[in-house]
Amino acid sequence: MLKVRTRIAPSPTGDPHVGTAYIALFNRCFAHQHAGEFILRIEDTDQVRSTAKSEADILAALRWLGLTWSEGPDVGGPCGPYRQSERSDLYSREIRTLLNSGHAFRCFCTSERLSSLRAQQIQDKAAVGYDGHCLSMTSEQVAACVAAGTEHVIRMRIPEEGDCVFLDMLRGEIRIAWQQIDMQVLIKSDGLPTYHFANVVDDHHMNISHVIRGEEWINSTPKHLLLYQYFGWVPPTYCHMPLLRNPDKSKLSKRKNPTSISYYRDMGYLPRALVNYLGQMGWTMPDGREMFSIEEMTTEFDLSRVSLGGPVFDVDKLTWLNGKYLRERVSDDEFIALFRDWAFAPSKVARIVPLLKDRVDKFSDVEPLAGFFLAGLPAIDSACFTHKSLNTETMRRILQFSIWQFENTKGFSRDEVENACLLLANHMALKIREFLFPLFVAISGKAVSTSVVDSISILGLDLTRARLRHAITVLGDISNKESKLLEKEFQQFSGAGD
Ligand code: GLU
């Protein structure tokens, strides 16, 4: 019988997302329930946006949640390497197969031609996509261009008519007309593969039997299946999971909810409660029980019972469940140990103490000065923001620009945070002291505390973002219209500052 092998295939281009953990959990349960393997592959084909830090954070976050894998870039395995950037030879070899069989072709179209084609298609209200221009080149013309070193990409052929029909484990038959499918680029002009190509080649070479992933990939599945057909490979079974939603049913986004797993870790949630909550996304235990471990979920798992009705990730419900775990499942001794590990992580404390030592005479002075390092959102109201020269609107601008600037900052070291603040203060023609005032209040709840730049760097982006956003709400919030204007202004000067 076919061995069940599933995978999570994150792209290391941002924070470790709760959506990744949700998909990982369901993949892991499915594999383990069938005595199979759950593996982790890093999809870093986007070399511009992929970072080593993001990869490390994603691995650490999934491990923290207990969503361990049996093969991956850190643990190795028989199908390695497990990082796509290290598998280029394989992609080069496989693309030659498709070029030789004529299922893929070289495309020399310039970006100017492609943009004017697109503009024309939009104007004509026609389907937007590649028009097959280079398919009419003779093999001599192609060979001459290649010999001359002309820049080009490699695309896949797509049938001109008919439908792609496939079975989804949750949705049954899905039918998508080939006319809706673009002649996807498989190899970019730098010789590296696109997601679609690398993903299929790797799923095949890693013997993935079931692809369980988010529903945003449904429209890509025809291309993937066609590649399997071109290669003559047996495709995996597909299952597209419903996307997580905000309580207002919109797609889960960090604008409305914290989406980074690190945020929940830093706020002091228990990993077992977060995993348990993710297990309730579109799924219930057969006996309706609310508290369950990964192992219990694995035993009872039945993928076909996942409901498609847009699971809502509701922070209040997660918080309630977390509290229930603390009250009912954590002994006093365990509480002490867990709390100590969370509050006094050596790497964090080692950075806080130097900020405090000069300013305290006794230990009881510590909490008033630095208690905010252990807090969630500080208890603040608009009166806390009273200032002699800054008005509310300016403070909201400072806070919003800071969120965006910090999100754009590559690292989060003290100097990087400071530079971000200096840049913004300069743009807003404010003295740095004035600029930092609303940040002090938002971060520490007080106008005076330990250095705010250091504090932000120690708290990290997730807690900082949450506190700055909370402060904006306290200051009357930013309307959608105002936010759009601010975003435009921010883009202008942040782009110019590069
Ligand atoms: N790298 C893709 C992602 O980040 C994986 C999609 C898939 O599972 O095929 O979501």
Side-chain angles (χ1 to χ4, degrees):
M1 217 178 78
L2 180 75
K3 173 134 174 141
V4 171
R5 284 173 61 86
T6 65
R7 51 41 169 202
I8 184 76
S11 298
T13 53
D15 296 333
H17 199 279
V18 286
T20 305
Y22 152 69
I23 299 290
L25 171 64
F26 282 74
N27 269 287
R28 193 177 183 277
C29 283
F30 183 79
H32 288 181
Q33 182 204 25
H34 291 92
E37 303 290 342
F38 165 62
I39 76 170
L40 184 142
R41 176 173 76 229
I42 290 292
E43 300 211 322
D44 55 351
T45 50
D46 184 343
Q47 287 287 295
V48 179
R49 291 175 60 230
S50 297
T51 65
K53 176 172 186 315
S54 168
E55 179 186 315
D57 288 351
I58 292 170
L59 264 60
L62 293 176
R63 223 179 279 119
W64 176 72
L65 286 169
L67 297 171
T68 47
W69 45 94
S70 57
E71 298 167 31
D74 54 339
V75 290
C79 305
Y82 292 86
R83 202 177 276 118
Q84 291 186 327
S85 55
E86 294 165 15
R87 299 170 65 83
S88 300
D89 290 351
L90 174 65
Y91 309 130
S92 307
R93 211 166 54 235
E94 294 297 11
I95 198 66
R96 277 200 293 277
T97 312
L98 294 190
L99 282 171
N100 291 341
S101 62
H103 290 123
F105 62 98
R106 296 183 199 267
C107 166
F108 299 89
C109 290
T110 58
S111 49
E112 290 76 35
R113 177 175 187 277
L114 295 176
S115 346
S116 68
L117 171 68
R118 196 185 146 80
Q120 190 63 47
Q121 287 168 335
I122 291 173
Q123 198 185 332
D124 298 347
K125 297 203 165 52
V128 172
Y130 185 62
D131 60 356
H133 184 73
C134 290
L135 275 170
S136 59
M137 289 173 81
T138 63
S139 46
E140 289 74 26
Q141 284 171 322
V142 172
C145 285
V146 172
T150 313
E151 190 165 285
H152 64 280
V153 300
I154 300 176
R155 294 179 184 270
M156 69 188 287
R157 272 182 191 262
I158 301 287
E160 276 161 32
E161 47 198 45
D163 295 337
C164 173
V165 183
F166 64 95
L167 276 184
D168 178 279
M169 284 173 85
L170 291 174
R171 292 153 208 269
E173 187 179 290
I174 295 184
R175 182 178 288 271
I176 298 176
W178 285 116
Q179 275 179 346
Q180 284 175 31
I181 310 292
D182 197 17
M183 294 179 216
Q184 177 65 48
V185 173
L186 301 178
I187 301 287
K188 296 176 279 187
S189 58
D190 59 7
L192 292 174
T194 54
Y195 151 75
H196 300 280
F197 190 59
N199 182 272
V200 166
V201 169
D202 286 346
D203 279 345
H204 170 72
H205 283 277
M206 295 183 178
N207 302 315
I208 298 302
S209 63
H210 295 75
V211 168
I212 304 169
R213 60 183 173 189
E215 65 188 319
E216 73 270 33
W217 299 106
I218 290 180
N219 287 334
S220 300
T221 306
K223 292 184 251 197
H224 298 177
L225 283 166
L226 191 57
L227 287 172
Y228 280 97
Q229 190 186 315
Y230 286 166
F231 279 117
W233 296 337
V234 179
T237 304
Y238 286 93
C239 174
H240 291 93
M241 298 284 293
L243 284 184
L244 299 186
R245 312 239 152 222
N246 293 309
D248 67 5
K249 287 278 177 180
S250 56
K251 185 178 151 207
L252 189 67
S253 71
K254 65 176 174 207
R255 272 173 188 268
K256 301 205 171 147
N257 263 316
T259 54
S260 163
I261 300 167
S262 327
Y263 168 83
Y264 294 95
R265 186 195 56 212
D266 295 349
M267 281 294 270
Y269 287 83
L270 297 168
R272 68 192 96 160
L274 180 51
V275 162
N276 185 161
Y277 188 60
L278 290 172
Q280 292 175 12
M281 298 291 103
W283 158 265
T284 44
M285 284 295 247
D287 63 1
R289 131 177 66 124
E290 243 164 349
M291 294 172 94
F292 50 85
S293 65
I294 303 181
E295 292 70 34
E296 289 167 325
M297 179 169 167
T298 305
T299 314
E300 302 291 342
F301 196 60
D302 177 0
L303 194 58
S304 66
R305 284 189 45 246
V306 168
S307 102
L308 291 175
V312 171
F313 186 85
D314 183 337
V315 181
D316 290 340
K317 291 215 174 109
L318 165 64
T319 307
W320 173 84
L321 184 66
N322 199 70
K324 207 165 150 64
Y325 264 96
L326 284 179
R327 283 185 294 277
E328 297 175 12
R329 302 282 171 98
V330 173
S331 68
D332 290 359
D333 283 345
E334 200 189 354
F335 191 113
I336 293 169
L338 290 171
F339 178 70
R340 189 182 45 218
D341 290 349
W342 173 78
F344 302 112
S347 57
K348 188 168 144 192
V349 178
R351 296 184 65 195
I352 299 174
V353 169
L355 305 176
L356 289 176
K357 263 174 81 181
D358 289 345
R359 308 177 63 164
V360 298
D361 298 314
K362 50 194 180 314
F363 290 147
S364 51
D365 295 337
V366 170
E367 194 282 330
L369 193 61
F372 70 90
F373 280 111
L374 297 189
L377 300 177
I380 44 175
D381 58 22
S382 56
C384 303
F385 288 93
T386 311
H387 189 270
K388 61 180 187 321
S389 59
L390 296 172
N391 63 26
T392 312
E393 197 208 322
T394 309
M395 288 195 266
R396 282 202 301 253
R397 277 159 58 87
I398 293 176
L399 295 165
Q400 182 58 69
F401 284 155
S402 299
I403 294 178
W404 289 332
Q405 189 66 34
F406 293 151
E407 283 174 347
N408 280 355
T409 309
K410 274 222 163 358
F412 219 59
S413 70
R414 184 202 180 278
D415 289 351
E416 281 162 309
V417 171
E418 182 167 49
N419 285 339
C421 293
L422 287 169
L423 187 119
L424 287 174
N426 188 28
H427 163 75
M428 297 180 77
L430 292 170
K431 291 200 198 75
I432 190 71
R433 273 179 71 96
E434 287 173 323
F435 177 86
L436 292 178
F437 169 77
L439 297 184
F440 261 109
V441 180
I443 294 295
S444 70
K446 299 189 186 126
V448 184
S449 73
T450 54
S451 144
V452 72
V453 165
D454 286 284
S455 308
I456 287 174
S457 164
I458 294 168
L459 285 168
L461 177 59
D462 295 308
L463 289 188
T464 298
R465 188 199 281 122
R467 290 186 194 193
L468 299 191
R469 187 156 297 146
H470 176 59
I472 292 174
T473 317
V474 167
L475 285 170
D477 222 342
I478 296 177
S479 68
N480 279 348
K481 198 168 142 211
E482 203 180 338
S483 170
K484 286 215 173 80
L485 289 173
L486 287 182
E487 210 167 330
K488 219 170 178 178
E489 183 183 340
F490 178 76
Q491 267 159 12
Q492 269 165 7
F493 74 78
S494 67
D498 283 347

